[in-house]
Every structure is written in structure tokens, then in C-alpha cells.
Amino acid sequence: MKIGLIAVDGHNYPNIPLMKISAWHKAHGDTVEWYERLFSGHMDRVYLSKVFSFTLDYPYYIDADQVIKGGSGYCIEVANGREVYHKERDTELPWEIEHCYPDYDLYPEFCRETAYGFLTRGCPRGCDFCHVAEKEGRCSVKVADLSEFWKGQKRIVLCDPNLLACREWKDLLQQLIDSKAIINFNQGVDARLMTEEKMEMLKRLKVNAIHFAWDRYEDKEIIVPRLKAFKEITGWGRDKLSVYVLINYDTTIEQDLERIYTLRDMGYNPYVMIYNKGATKGMDTVRCIQRWVNNRKIFNVAKRFEVYGCKINKT
Ligand code: SF4
């Protein structure tokens, strides 16, 4: 068969489902290529993968007997500022494709020495601003061993939504420690679930940096002591420790600034993420906070938001 692939949202990040689809077809003797509407000619089947709900769908005619669309971009919709999951539009990969070793040759620029994948799926949290629990289930479940997508590469990028919530977290962290590869948790680590035992294991991982998340202001009493303990146990410096801070969702500007100052005082780098699917009032202030905090040079010099020079807009 002649198989075409389209990464609808672009080629700036490896698309794991497409890499698995490619690997499976190649293993079955099919030819696989990126679909180019002007050059590919007629295909037996074309797969489209779309990651984001806010991007446009592929706008052109596809010359193929069969077209298969999949990805969060097709089954998640933003309505009234919330992400809504449409199960009927979701296309899960068949088991034998889901568990294929990915075809990293599709992305030579990203994957030469880096493996990408998931060890777990699902999350027990069910945060209102996130579709993971609805789409993947409200429980973090082990779905793979590391060997399923890693064969000795120097770096591993994990896309797991909440690995520490998985019952088999110890086995999975041990696999990552044993790999001796540099680990990047690209979705952030849930600080609320850290115990001393988990912190000791995380300390043994090779990481350039670790990212936690402090999304809900009211988690302050849980998150702050755990982040303090993590820093004490690992002895890691600010350069390795950052925390995503979600703003413009359900917090006030004062609460945002309090989280930012608290994290900085504890020796962490806050990194502001704007929730941009809801209200647009007060966005000037929100964007200004993001510019100030995420530019480390400026943030280190202008210690207070007032000093940075933006007025707080409370509307
Ligand atoms: S903890 Fe993270 S992955 Fe889990 S529901 Fe909340 S935002 Fe989503």
C-alpha cells in the first residue's frame, strides 16, 4: 500500500501517533511518505493527525482511497472557555500500532538522539481546564515499558500527563534511572503527589531541569512544603527547578503575584502560562506578567511587578 501522512499542526514537534503508524506500515511492507498534495499522487490511505483544537483543519483535497483523521485537535472543542471532549470524534490507534516502536526516521532533526513516548495515560485530578481525565480516564495507568520506545538514545522526552499518580510509579522511575538517559518530563510533575521516597528517586534521575505545576492557588498549603522538601533533598539549584504558574483562569492578580514571589523566594523559577480560552478582560496585565516573569534577565533585575512598569488592571 501507498501510505501518506499529514501532521496538520506542522512539523515543529514529533508526532508520536504518526511515527507509530509509519513504523507499523513499513513493517508490513507498505511505503510511507509525508503527503504532498502536488507531488504524492494517488495514495491508498492518508492519515491526518491534529494536536490542537484551535488550529485549522487541512484545507486541501486529498487524493486517496481512504482518509483517516485522529488526534486531540479533532475530538476536543473549546466551548464557553472550557475544553469539551467528543468521544464520537475520537479515533484510538489499534493496540498493535499503539505499541509499535516509533519510526523516528520521520523526524531526523528531533529524534537523532532522543526518544519520545508515554509510559502512562490518564490522570486522577480532573482539572477543569484540562481534557486529559475525560479523554484518557481519571486514573493514571501504566501503558508501556520504556523499552517500547527507547533503544539507548541519550535523551528521553516523556509526554505522560501524571506519572507520579500511577500505581507503578516506582517501577517506571527505576526504568528511567537505569536508562542513564537525560529525562525531560514535558508535561510537568505533580508536586502534590511527591513523598520523600518519590523525591529520593527523582533525585537519581538525570535531568537538565524539572518542571512542576502550581495551577490552583488553593493548593498552596500542599505544594509549598513539598517543593521546599524537594529542594532540600535534591540540593538542586534554581537553574534546574521551575514551576508552571497558570494565570487568567480562576485566580486574582494578587494571587498570581503571590505564587510568583513565593516560588522565587524558595529558589524555583516560576514560568507563567496564560489560560487563553476564557475571558479576555484584563489580558493586558496578564500578558505583562508573563513577559516580566518568563524573561529571566528582566525578572532577576525587576524584583517586583510594580518595578517592571505595568499597571495592574483589576477588571
Ligand atoms: S493534573 Fe495536569 S494532567 Fe492532570 S488533569 Fe490537572 S492539568 Fe490535566
Side-chain angles (χ1 to χ4, degrees), residues 123 125-127 129-130 132 161-162 190 192 215:
C123 177
R125 294 279 179 206
C127 303
F129 48 82
C130 171
V132 167
N162 198 339
D190 192 339
R192 297 163 292 186
D215 297 326

Side-chain angles (χ1 to χ4, degrees), residues 121-124 132-140:
R121 296 281 190 158
C123 177
V132 167
E134 220 185 329
K135 183 171 185 291
E136 299 181 10
R138 205 155 173 175
C139 182
S140 173

